[in-house]
Amino acid sequence: MKLHSTLILALLLAATSCSKEQSISLVTQEVTRGSISETVTATGTIESETSVDVGTQVTGIIDKILVDFNSQVKKGELLAEIDKVLLQSELTSAEANVNSAKASYEYAKTNYERDKALHDKKLISDYEFDTTRRDYEVAKTSYEKSVADRVKAAKNLNYAEIYSPIDGIIISRDVEVGQTVVSNMTVANLFTIADLDHMRVVANVDEADIGRVKEGQKVTFTVDAYPDEVFHGTVTQKRISPTTESNVVTYEVLVSADNSDHKLIPGLTANLTIYMLDESDVTLVPAKATRFIPHAYPEAKNLPTIPEGTSTQAYNNPSDPDKKRVWIVKDNAFLPVIITVGATDGINYRVVSGIEQGTKVAIEYSVETPTEDNGEHAGGQSPFQPKRPGGNKK
């Protein structure tokens, strides 16, 4: 209340101290339609959404390489071959072992079935039957193992041909023809294939802004390689694991982007703008209008009057903070209007209801001083604005 009284007193003093050439006028602005947005900026690195390291699970010498850097490949396309001589010989040996083990198994099975029938008639001893049954089980196990070895040898032979697991572009080739690749506990890497049709940006967002970033928000970004082009993306993930560097805490945010023209390549640095608020073709009212309070200036002419009994106290509704008050002028008198607002960018509010487009709302008072003593035009000035230093010098 004390502050309110002080403001009224200051305005009255400003009005009465003005010269005859000064006048106080009301500044209004129309409720319009337009766009409202709120953004944060970040930097990040571009990478492929899908990137696969292609390797081999067998040891051998590279016999053929059918692709090179930047080669476009399709899923299932042959990329390289490892020399097959040793692998083919291992398969041949495994097949021979299968045939040998199968013969032994069939012989042992025949003996087992014959001795079982004799044992059931008490014509042979338990020892003889147990020996025959053991030989049969050993032969069966050996045969099953030889079959598994043949499957392994055939699979290793297939591994000698390296195929692409995805559609993409070769971005790395780590072998040459004649080079020996060794498969130990890890797969020997030969190529790296990336899907450049779908890229993503791994952005580092400051801790002060991460709370307002959400999945699905629109993103625009630029890269130094194409400084005049703006790329578009969408926030797909917000990672909650922090990164601290030089006492600065950031969080990773993943932004997906279409790259059908393949302009974006892995490793580029991106400068991002994340739109936390982005609404277009909505009704907007100036935020200053919701803070305006009318005052009476007895010396001023042509100002709207304040109807008797109308409260000019600051409007505050804690139970419904989306309710705001604006003042319009009707029949040369101030008329308070309660409106419902939505999002704001600090300059405008989106109007949900309560006022129509084109309505003029009061913004502030302005002091007009046509000419100063030195002949300079002073222009409009709010009663609250400090005077220019040295303005009263002779």
Side-chain angles (χ1 to χ4, degrees), residues 207-358:
E207 61 177 324
D209 300 320
I210 192 64
R212 296 178 291 171
V213 175
K214 295 179 175 59
E215 293 182 5
Q217 291 175 337
K218 187 182 79 171
V219 180
T220 60
F221 62 93
T222 60
V223 295
D224 291 341
Y226 305 98
D228 297 328
E229 189 165 351
V230 177
F231 299 90
H232 300 270
T234 305
V235 175
T236 56
Q237 187 180 62
K238 179 173 69 173
R239 295 178 176 174
I240 60 176
S241 177
T243 300
T244 304
E245 185 175 349
S246 301
N247 294 325
V248 177
V249 180
T250 58
Y251 293 83
E252 286 188 348
V253 172
L254 302 188
V255 176
S256 65
D258 178 72
N259 189 37
S260 55
D261 56 3
H262 292 181
K263 286 186 176 181
L264 299 176
I265 57 178
L268 292 178
T269 299
N271 300 304
L272 301 94
T273 300
I274 303 174
Y275 289 82
M276 299 171 296
L277 169 66
D278 185 28
E279 299 181 6
S280 58
D281 195 27
V282 294
T283 304
L284 302 177
V285 64
K288 291 172 64 175
T290 64
R291 300 188 294 268
F292 175 80
I293 297 176
H295 298 285
Y297 296 99
E299 301 297 327
K301 298 180 180 180
N302 300 323
L303 286 181
T305 60
I306 304 173
E308 186 176 352
T310 302
S311 174
T312 57
Q313 298 293 324
Y315 182 81
N316 185 25
N317 188 352
S319 62
D320 193 352
D322 291 337
K323 296 290 186 182
K324 302 291 182 182
R325 181 186 65 186
V326 296
W327 296 85
I328 64 175
V329 179
K330 185 175 183 180
D331 298 330
N332 201 34
F334 284 111
L335 178 64
V337 176
I338 304 300
I339 64 174
T340 302
V341 299
T344 179
D345 59 359
I347 300 175
N348 295 298
Y349 279 103
R350 178 175 67 86
V351 177
V352 177
S353 62
I355 198 168
E356 299 295 331
Q357 177 184 352

